[in-house]
Amino acid sequence: MAAASSGEQPGPPDIPEPEDFVYGEDEFVLRGVSWPGAAPSRFDRALLGAWQDRMARGLFRYRLEELPTRVLPGAMGLVAQLNPQRATQRRPPQAIRSLRQPFDPQQFNFTRIRPGEVLLCLRCRSGGDPPPLDRVLVAINVSPLERGHVLLLPEPALGLPQALTPQLLRFGLEAVLLSTQPGFRVGFNSLGASASVNHLHLHAFYLAHPLRVESAPAEPLLPEGGPALLRDVPAPALLFYTAGAELRAVAEAVCGLAAGLAARGLAYNVFATRGAPPAGGGAAAGLRVLLWARRPSFEEPEGPDEAVPAVALCELAGYLPLPAAAPFAALSEAEALRALRRPLLPEPELRRLLRELLPSTPR
């Protein structure tokens, strides 16, 4: 999945100002979230209402209708979706050459988005724990994958490169808890792992399908908690879990491990969603945060005839946006799994790496 926003032409007149959305921990939905979802929360109504308004005003590159969707036969329940307009009309990805590539103000970045593309300005009411950031902007992705596809942006003028911070991830986790919809997910692509804009951002979107990564059991790696190994999923991952408390600690743990991967020349993807405890099950009792370690790739994306043209956070989680009708109709689970797992570290190598980064990991 790649970020997109226009910034090329002035928007239609009379665009509403973005809503200053102030929230507190009392609005976090910690229980009772299950499929098909409850009535939308205040956050859902604000985000989706503004998103639909901008769609009606023509601020997107194409009008997103209901997309053809099929669940591939097989144990993994992969969700394939046909979206040819995104493939042909999205902004070409930036040339990424390094995991440490600095922010370049001459390249497209989010200081160039039109004012009408910003929907909300998220602010957390101060409490006992200081807010993770002063504010985060919620902006449309002008080449959307799905309904409500937005970008979460810390202050764009800061010019931060695409390296995940605990402060931004915590904002993303809080956004998931503000929604009553189990299909609202948040994620991150690092440089070398399908990020297409080197300006710090998270993706967020609604997808009306459960994913196996939300319920599959995981193997604990440390006796005192920490990440677990999620194996029986489309793309094996490290799993962090919280019942809704200690978001700051989870965000710091995920980003600390991600920074360790980057220091060793590895790229990564992150995916946050409602989900079951590590032991597995069907109840979405808390938050699951998945981290994939992978070898970086700085090549141009593959063509539309590839089984899975891009491998980013959505694809690794089991949601496959496809650009052409032929692969959408013919793709098998076995083909998809080969493509998804190809860039990931093999499990023995991942375990060796974890022993370096987390010394208490058993041998």
Side-chain angles (χ1 to χ4, degrees):
M1 182 197 321
S5 191
S6 60
E8 295 167 349
Q9 299 177 358
D14 303 323
I15 297 289
E17 290 292 321
E19 177 182 344
D20 200 22
F21 190 95
V22 182
Y23 65 90
E25 293 184 5
D26 57 307
E27 291 188 71
F28 293 167
V29 183
L30 302 178
R31 299 180 184 83
V33 176
S34 60
W35 293 95
S41 66
R42 183 172 76 95
F43 173 76
D44 295 316
R45 293 193 302 272
L47 189 158
L48 290 171
W51 192 90
Q52 293 283 62
D53 173 82
R54 303 314 193 266
M55 179 65 71
R57 294 173 185 269
L59 267 69
F60 291 80
R61 293 195 170 195
Y62 49 85
R63 185 166 186 83
L64 188 73
E65 306 290 351
E66 186 171 351
L67 298 171
T69 304
R70 74 183 185 102
V71 178
L72 303 190
M76 295 297 166
L78 296 172
V79 178
Q81 199 168 66
L82 180 60
N83 190 342
Q85 289 177 296
R86 178 174 167 84
T88 59
Q89 298 186 42
R90 63 183 282 250
R91 174 185 300 279
Q94 289 177 9
I96 305 297
R97 303 300 183 203
S98 165
L99 295 177
R100 299 185 181 277
Q101 188 161 312
F103 173 79
D104 182 355
Q106 301 305 312
Q107 297 288 326
F108 171 78
N109 63 79
F110 301 121
T111 65
R112 302 184 185 182
I113 62 177
R114 296 171 291 183
E117 294 178 22
V118 180
L119 308 181
L120 306 174
C121 179
L122 297 183
R123 297 179 185 271
C124 181
R125 287 197 298 269
S126 60
D129 195 9
L133 292 169
D134 176 58
R135 66 173 189 164
V136 164
L137 304 181
V138 179
I140 62 172
N141 188 315
V142 296
S143 300
L145 284 164
E146 250 291 2
R147 182 178 71 113
H149 184 184
V150 296
L151 306 174
L152 304 184
L153 311 174
E155 179 54 58
L158 295 175
L160 300 173
Q162 182 69 348
L164 189 58
T165 67
Q167 294 84 4
L168 180 59
L169 179 56
R170 181 177 162 192
F171 241 107
L173 300 182
E174 292 183 350
V176 175
L177 291 182
L178 288 171
S179 174
T180 56
Q181 307 306 299
F184 181 70
R185 284 86 172 210
V186 166
F188 178 87
N189 299 317
S190 82
L191 300 181
S194 293
S196 68
V197 175
N198 186 19
H199 196 180
L200 185 57
H201 64 283
L202 295 175
H203 287 270
F205 61 94
Y206 293 82
L207 176 69
H209 293 271
L211 301 170
R212 185 173 179 83
V213 296
E214 294 157 350
S215 59
E219 172 196 337
L221 293 174
L222 298 171
E224 69 276 12
L229 183 60
L230 194 59
R231 264 209 206 93
D232 190 19
V233 291
L238 296 174
L239 169 66
F240 296 78
Y241 176 81
T242 175
E246 302 299 330
L247 297 184
R248 181 178 180 178
V250 170
E252 289 176 348
V254 172
C255 291
L257 195 49
L261 296 175
R264 286 160 175 77
L266 296 169
Y268 58 93
N269 304 87
V270 174
F271 184 76
T273 183
R274 300 274 183 173
L287 285 179
R288 284 188 165 203
V289 185
L290 279 64
L291 174 66
W292 289 278
R294 57 190 287 176
R295 303 194 188 286
S297 174
F298 303 113
E299 303 296 326
E300 291 297 319
E302 301 293 344
D305 294 331
E306 295 293 321
V308 180
V311 177
L313 69 95
C314 288
E315 291 81 5
L316 293 170
Y319 165 42
L320 312 179
L322 298 174
F328 172 74
L331 183 64
S332 69
E333 180 180 87
E335 289 176 301
L337 294 181
R338 281 195 295 272
L340 298 181
R341 295 171 180 176
R342 191 176 298 128
L344 301 183
L345 294 188
E347 184 178 325
E349 187 174 346
L350 178 61
R351 285 182 178 272
R352 286 196 298 272
L353 182 61
L354 288 175
R355 287 195 290 270
E356 295 177 17
L357 297 173
L358 306 170
S360 57
T361 304
R363 295 184 175 273

